[in-house]
Structure formats: C-alpha cells, structure tokens
C-alpha cells in the first residue's frame, strides 16, 4: 500500500497508458485487477477512485461538476442532489481519442484550479502487484507494508453453529413456498432464524475485537455489560488473522479461496463432534465513491453511494463444514450498509 501527493491529470494519463498497453496484449482484465487507487484528501468534498475494473470514478459537488464540463449523473438521494458521479473508462478504445484528450484537459484545468485555491496536489493511496505491473510506482511514494497480525484467544465460549436455510427456502411439499402463491414461511420460524443469525454474527464481531465478554471466566457486573453468547457452545481457542490497509481484490479472493479449500479438506464431523468454522470480515473504504462491483462488471454502471468518513460498508462470510459425506460447505453472508447507498436500492 502506497501514499503519494499527485495531480489527478498525471494519474489519468499514466493509468490510461498502462491499461491501454495491457489491452494491447489481451491482458487488460487480469492486469487492471491488480491495481486500485483512491483519493485520501481531507480538504474539499470531491473524491475519486480507480477500481480494479480500470474505471476512474469521480464524485464531485455541483460547482466542480459545472466547471469540469464532463458528463455525469446526479446522485439519486433527495438530500444530496448537489453531488454528481462521473465515470471515465481507462481501457483502450472505450472512448474516442478526442474525448480522451478533452477529459485530460478538463482534469488538468481542475488541478490548476486546486493549486490556485491552495488545495495543491491530491493525496492518494494505491496498491498494485509489482510482479504484474513492474515500474508502475509513482515517484515520492511512501510505502506501507500490509502485514498479517496474528492473535489468539484461549478459553472462550465458541458457538456450535447450525446454519439452517432460511425458512422461506426450506419449505416442504406440505408447506408450499411464497413463490407458489400459497402458505408463506411461519413468522415464528423466520423470527427464530433471524435471531440465530444475529447472535452468530454478533459473536463473530466480538471475537474479532478480542472481547473479554467471551472468556469462560468472565465475571463482569451485569449492570456494566450484559452479553449472552450463542447456545449451544463449548469452551475452546480461536485464532485471528488481520490485515489492515488498502487490500487488493485479488489478495482478498485468495484468502477466501484458501479458507474454503481448507474447510473442504477437513474430515466430515461425526455426530456430537465440534464442527470447525471460519469467519472472514472485510471493511470497505467508505470514502470511496465506488461500492459493490457486480460479478459481471461493466465500465459504465454499478451501484453508487455518497462517500463519507462516517459511512458503513462491511460484510462477513461465515463458513463451516457441511453435513453428510459430501464434504461440502455451509455458509452465510451478511452485509452492513450505511445510508445513501444504492447497493440494495
């Protein structure tokens, strides 16, 4: 992960050249997945990022939008209709040569205006795969190595998870599903399922923080803190691995793949045995204008949101060994999104 003050027009020109070269050798998609950059400026309300699709996304105020003269869309939130999203694809032939030149001139004028107003160059943070994109590092970059921190907690209450399907998707023939237009899932069953999931992921959050409330010998005054761990449970040890920084999507996917592949190699637990599990939690950078990127990414659309310091964008994947001899994986995924995010409409 690297930090650097730099002009946006310089980044646009250099990134465009890198992505064009990658496309020339039919490696565009794999190369640009190894690069991400976002502004980290405490001055002003304008933010931007280059995501692994090779897409430069600007989230700017109405004043900046009108001065830039680039085509974008207004945010769909009534309280923040004075913000606009502009998307500039960096891959080869996505735009005409004339459009690319016009965009670069607009960004140069923006950089010059920031200098006149005393804002100066952009502070940005970025990461990339040096082995895939050699020589990409900008001069005067400050390098921060993202290393794994491992901590262990002993003698803590650990739940015995049973990841039941949601009642609406596990109806028997005697209980038709909602899609059949007949009897819906029982309200009590749905409420119980929601409670089970809430308790499980609450435990994951507290375990990630190393909370003392999970210790088997915890004797906190109930007037100070009141917590009841999920039941059934057992007392055991847990290990936490943590990476803090701007993490590339390729690395994150490798963590998920390794964790799930390891789960599949474990012997299927017999009746009464403790089932191993893994939980992976990721925090998005809420000051980035780009939120979730769809599985079939496009360079022209995708969910938008209002980038803000106090935003929320976190997901957690919980996986455990499946039942039976198939050695499959049972999993549950939860997402926590803040206000002004179109991820879920």
């Amino acid at each position: 992960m690297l930090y650097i003050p730099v002009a946006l027009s310089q980044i646009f020109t250099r990134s465009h050249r890198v992505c064009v070269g990658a496309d020339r050798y039919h490696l565009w998609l794999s190369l640009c997945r190894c690069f991400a950059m976002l502004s980290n400026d405490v001055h002003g309300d304008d933010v931007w990022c280059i995501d692994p699709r090779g897409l430069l996304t600007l989230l700017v105020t109405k004043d900046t939008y009108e001065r830039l003269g680039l085509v974008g869309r207004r945010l769909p939130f009534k309280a923040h209709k004075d913000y606009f999203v502009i998307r500039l694809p960096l891959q080869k032939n996505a735009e005409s040569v004339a459009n690319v030149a016009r965009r670069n001139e607009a960004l140069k004028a923006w950089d010059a205006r920031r200098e006149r107003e005393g804002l100066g160059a952009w502070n940005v943070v970025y990461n990339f795969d040096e082995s895939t994109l050699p020589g990409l590092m900008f001069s005067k970059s400050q390098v921060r190595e993202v290393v794994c921190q491992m901590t262990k907690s002993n003698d803590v209450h650990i739940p015995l998870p049973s990841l039941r399907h949601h009642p609406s998707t596990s109806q028997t023939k005697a209980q038709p599903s909602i899609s059949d237009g007949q009897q819906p899932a029982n309200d009590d069953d749905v409420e119980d399922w929601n409670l089970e999931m809430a308790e499980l992921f609450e435990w994951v959050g507290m375990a990630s923080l190393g909370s003392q409330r999970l210790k088997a010998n915890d004797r906190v005054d109930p007037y100070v803190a009141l917590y009841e761990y999920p039941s059934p449970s057992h007392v055991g040890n847990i290990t936490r691995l943590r990476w803090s920084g701007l993490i590339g999507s390729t690395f994150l996917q490798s963590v998920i793949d390794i964790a799930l592949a390891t789960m599949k190699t474990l012997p299927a637990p017999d009746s009464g045995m403790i089932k191993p599990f893994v939980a992976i939690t990721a925090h998005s950078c809420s000051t980035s204008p780009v939120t979730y990127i769809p599985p079939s990414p496009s360079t022209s659309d995708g969910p938008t949101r209002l980038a803000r310091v106090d935003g929320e964008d976190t997901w957690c994947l919980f996986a455990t060994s499946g039942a039976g001899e198939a050695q499959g994986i049972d999993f549950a995924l939860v997402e926590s999104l803040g206000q002004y995010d179109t991820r879920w409409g």
Side-chain angles (χ1 to χ4, degrees), residues 20-31:
V20 166
D23 193 46
R24 183 179 304 161
Y25 295 102
H26 306 288
L27 294 174
W28 144 254
L29 190 57
S30 61
L31 288 184

Side-chain angles (χ1 to χ4, degrees), residues 159 161-164 193-209 214 227-230 277-283 314-320 330-336:
S162 176
L163 298 182
R164 299 186 297 121
W193 186 90
N194 288 333
L195 181 60
E196 289 177 14
M197 290 294 103
E199 290 179 345
L200 178 61
F201 283 102
E202 180 185 29
W203 180 92
V204 171
M206 297 185 70
S208 300
L209 296 173
L214 302 183
Y227 172 72
E228 185 174 348
Y229 46 84
F277 63 80
V278 62
I280 302 174
T281 303
H283 302 282
T314 301
W315 58 260
C316 180
L317 173 67
F318 187 99
T320 185
D330 292 335
F331 70 91
L333 177 68
V334 64
E335 291 183 277
S336 178

